[in-house]
Amino acid sequence: MGKIGAFLEQKRIAPSERDPLERIKDFNEFRIPMSEEEVIIQASRCMDCGIPFCHSGVLLGGMTAGCPLHNLIPEFNDLIYKKAWEEAYKRLIFTNNFPEFTGRVCPAPCEGSCTEGLNWESVTIKNNELSIIERAFSAGFVKKKVIKRTGKRVAVVGSGPSGLACADTLNSYGHEVSVFERADRVGGLLMYGIPNMKLDKKIVMRRISLMQEEGVKFFTNEEIGIDIHLKDLVEEFDAVVLCCGATKPRDLRVPGRELNGIYFAVDFLRSNTKCLLDNDYSTLISAKNKNVIIIGGGDTGTDCVATAIRHGCKDVIQIEILPEPPKIRSQNNPWPEWPKVLKVDYGQEERIALFGKDPRIYLTTVTSFEPKEDGINLGWVNTVKVKWERDNKGNFIPKHIDGSEEKLKADMVLIAMGFLGPEDKAIKGLSIEQDHRSNVKAQFGDFKTNVKKVFAAGDMRRGQSLVVWAIAEGRGAARSVNEFLMREIK
């Protein structure tokens, strides 16, 4: 453990953030790195709890509890306390290919399951992880790996977190890896799905450059099913891993959906990041001087709030169909489950600072969209309050509350209601089986599809999930592919 008794002496101190009214003027990361001394103090709070639930990585109450990567958290906390930074890096990278990503964008289920959180506040595990990897890069601990080649060739389709983790792990095994990405830049969700304020794209490219130096080949603007057929990849490579994500957005089919000014959140965020990187704003989906309504209360919705504010919107509202979470754990949400409590994320903080109020409206759903006088462009969003009741099968469903209807002025609507599953283009032509949710059917553990030589991992296999789960799936698929290939060699 770190310092004996430190968890009783030291309070949890999270990293500072730039002032909301200052950071909304740019798209730079909003978190301020801690000093080495501060990180060491926070790491010292790890209490050597005997059974570290923080790296359990299981589903409890339908949500992730502990780290799906099974990071050796008490060990790297102890090494930070001892100032053994290089050893801490080695311990961290043993289980996590990309701590610079998870240390920025992961919701930290490890902290929700920290034993210290039972009676005090949990250890700052996420920030400790980020501090290790950033120090490793700055101190030169991160070095190009020397790899002995096996002669086997693997194609990875998709360069999001699962595809990158799979490619990086397969490459370390010695296989020649080619990654195919349909976008103009590598990174998938990390590049175009998460805004710069949370994950600077220089951080993504730093890792991509290292992977390229180590021998991974990346091919952009190559969409499987259009530019390249999956059947051809299967014939050319010794194995193919599908890591295309769950990129089919859930739509809201209500009257008026066809009006101009209604977008999927993912398209809005992609447009913003691409324009920033290209330094060309001619194709920007802009929220400037608009009343913006975001439908969906998750992380993507929060990212849209923050992005719309940076565009200079008139106002922004976030509609959430679920009830407002409690401020503390409820009795039916015990530790070490993920704490389902009210959180004010960076986007909400910025809206509060700018407009004086949290943007979220709970227990509300949209019933229709109405146009302006021109009959073409969006002008209004009609909503109604809901209450959650059980139907005759015992399932909770939202029921409209009569008399609670409201009409909200809107120039732009962003639909951030999650994703339904993978797009069909990548898998058509090979009769790859899908489950009842349209995800590619492959068992967790071996990640094999029903087609020989073809594997699947990440959101494409498990459905929409966390970046940390995507990395875990990519690593797992790589191990399965390696076992498959090495059996052939023997």
Side-chain angles (χ1 to χ4, degrees):
M1 64 184 298
K3 180 182 177 183
I4 295 174
F7 64 93
L8 296 172
E9 300 170 3
Q10 303 290 343
K11 291 184 177 180
R12 173 190 168 101
I13 300 177
S16 299
E17 297 177 354
R18 298 166 60 204
D19 182 86
L21 294 178
E22 282 299 314
R23 70 194 191 213
I24 61 174
K25 298 175 183 177
D26 58 53
F27 287 89
N28 299 329
E29 289 191 359
F30 58 85
R31 293 186 184 88
I32 300 172
M34 274 185 165
S35 68
E36 179 182 1
E37 182 181 356
E38 290 172 318
V39 175
I40 289 171
I41 290 172
Q42 291 304 304
S44 76
R45 297 180 65 243
C46 189
M47 60 190 289
D48 191 19
C49 54
I51 300 177
F53 288 84
C54 56
H55 59 58
S56 53
V58 296
L59 292 177
L60 294 176
M63 301 189 75
T64 303
C67 178
L69 287 166
H70 312 300
N71 285 340
L72 305 173
I73 294 164
E75 296 181 30
F76 70 60
N77 279 332
D78 181 54
L79 291 166
I80 292 174
Y81 176 66
K82 294 175 178 174
K83 300 184 181 180
W85 288 98
E86 187 167 10
E87 287 303 314
Y89 162 68
K90 291 177 180 177
R91 201 63 52 92
L92 176 57
I93 209 72
F94 182 71
T95 56
N96 186 355
N97 301 61
F98 311 126
E100 68 270 34
F101 302 154
T102 53
R104 285 175 166 85
V105 306
C106 186
C110 53
E111 294 186 13
S113 297
C114 174
T115 304
E116 204 159 319
L118 262 170
N119 298 300
W120 300 280
E121 290 189 283
S122 61
V123 176
T124 55
I125 300 168
K126 176 179 173 179
N127 186 65
N128 295 352
E129 176 181 313
L130 181 59
S131 300
I132 292 170
I133 189 62
E134 289 305 323
R135 188 174 183 87
F137 271 109
S138 63
F141 303 152
V142 183
K143 297 181 176 69
K144 172 185 171 183
K145 296 190 288 284
V146 178
I147 298 168
K148 183 179 178 181
R149 294 296 170 188
T150 64
K152 293 292 185 179
R153 300 173 66 238
V154 183
V156 176
V157 182
S159 67
S162 63
L164 291 179
C166 186
D168 187 53
T169 306
L170 283 167
N171 189 56
S172 68
Y173 289 145
H175 309 305
E176 295 179 24
V177 183
S178 296
V179 180
F180 297 87
E181 168 57 52
R182 69 177 177 178
D184 62 338
R185 289 179 173 88
V186 176
L189 167 78
L190 301 168
M191 181 60 68
Y192 284 131
I194 300 172
N196 242 45
M197 302 86 77
K198 285 168 70 173
L199 176 60
D200 193 305
K201 305 315 162 193
K202 293 176 184 175
I203 300 299
V204 179
M205 290 312 302
R206 180 178 65 182
R207 178 60 68 174
I208 299 299
S209 297
L210 178 60
M211 291 176 66
Q212 288 176 317
E213 288 177 24
E214 293 176 342
V216 177
K217 297 184 178 76
F218 292 96
F219 300 90
T220 55
N221 296 306
E222 297 282 1
E223 185 167 4
I224 306 305
I226 295 180
D227 303 301
I228 301 176
H229 292 290
L230 185 56
K231 184 178 178 182
D232 295 335
L233 290 182
V234 174
E235 290 176 358
E236 181 181 350
F237 290 86
D238 298 299
V240 176
V241 189
L242 302 176
C243 299
C244 306
T247 52
K248 192 186 299 179
R250 180 179 282 107
D251 206 346
L252 182 62
R253 294 296 179 186
V254 297
R257 173 62 179 86
E258 74 285 352
L259 294 171
N260 294 336
I262 303 173
Y263 306 91
F264 287 118
V266 65
D267 295 332
F268 174 69
L269 295 174
R270 184 190 297 114
S271 164
N272 184 77
T273 299
K274 181 164 172 54
C275 289
L276 280 173
L277 295 175
D278 292 346
N279 196 26
D280 177 2
Y281 297 90
S282 59
T283 60
L284 177 67
I285 300 174
S286 177
K288 186 175 177 62
N289 296 326
K290 294 179 180 177
N291 291 295
V292 181
I293 293 180
I294 297 158
I295 305 172
D299 289 342
T300 301
T302 297
D303 293 338
C304 288
V305 171
T307 302
I309 287 174
R310 282 162 176 76
H311 284 188
C313 65
K314 280 185 183 177
D315 197 2
V316 58
I317 292 172
Q318 193 174 4
I319 293 175
E320 170 62 83
I321 198 169
L322 295 172
E324 180 176 337
K327 291 182 171 59
I328 59 173
R329 281 185 188 266
S330 60
Q331 289 186 343
N332 63 356
N333 176 217
W335 177 92
E337 289 183 1
W338 172 254
K340 301 172 188 175
V341 296
L342 181 66
K343 293 177 180 169
V344 180
D345 209 338
Y346 78 110
Q348 286 92 37
E349 286 179 351
E350 292 163 4
R351 205 277 189 176
I352 292 168
L354 194 61
F355 298 109
K357 188 177 179 183
D358 193 305
R360 291 171 289 190
I361 302 174
Y362 295 96
L363 289 171
T364 302
T365 191
V366 172
T367 55
S368 65
F369 303 111
E370 287 186 24
K372 295 177 180 176
E373 291 182 0
D374 60 15
I376 298 172
N377 295 301
L378 175 70
W380 304 90
V381 174
N382 292 313
T383 68
V384 66
K385 290 291 184 183
V386 301
K387 56 182 177 180
W388 288 85
E389 296 180 350
R390 292 189 185 274
D391 61 14
N392 53 14
K393 295 181 180 178
N395 300 316
F396 275 108
I397 59 169
K399 290 191 174 183
H400 294 185
I401 299 175
D402 293 338
S404 66
E405 295 82 2
E406 190 174 357
K407 195 174 191 176
L408 303 175
K409 185 174 178 59
D411 305 298
M412 173 185 277
V413 161
L414 302 173
I415 301 174
M417 296 169 54
F419 297 87
L420 295 174
E423 297 173 42
D424 296 328
K425 293 192 291 286
I427 59 176
K428 67 180 180 180
L430 274 186
S431 300
I432 293 176
E433 292 181 1
Q434 295 171 269
D435 64 19
H436 66 284
R437 295 185 300 162
S438 81
N439 299 321
V440 171
K441 200 171 183 180
Q443 289 296 318
F444 183 75
D446 66 18
F447 299 91
K448 294 177 181 177
T449 70
N450 62 304
V451 177
K452 188 178 180 182
K453 295 169 51 176
V454 179
F455 300 73
D459 288 4
M460 190 172 200
R461 190 202 71 84
R462 70 179 291 119
Q464 181 187 3
S465 191
L466 306 176
V467 167
V468 67
W469 269 117
I471 295 173
E473 292 240 335
R475 288 169 61 89
R479 285 192 293 270
S480 183
V481 171
N482 182 61
E483 291 172 5
F484 168 74
L485 295 177
M486 298 314 287
R487 277 199 302 269
E488 287 195 345
I489 291 176
K490 292 177 182 178

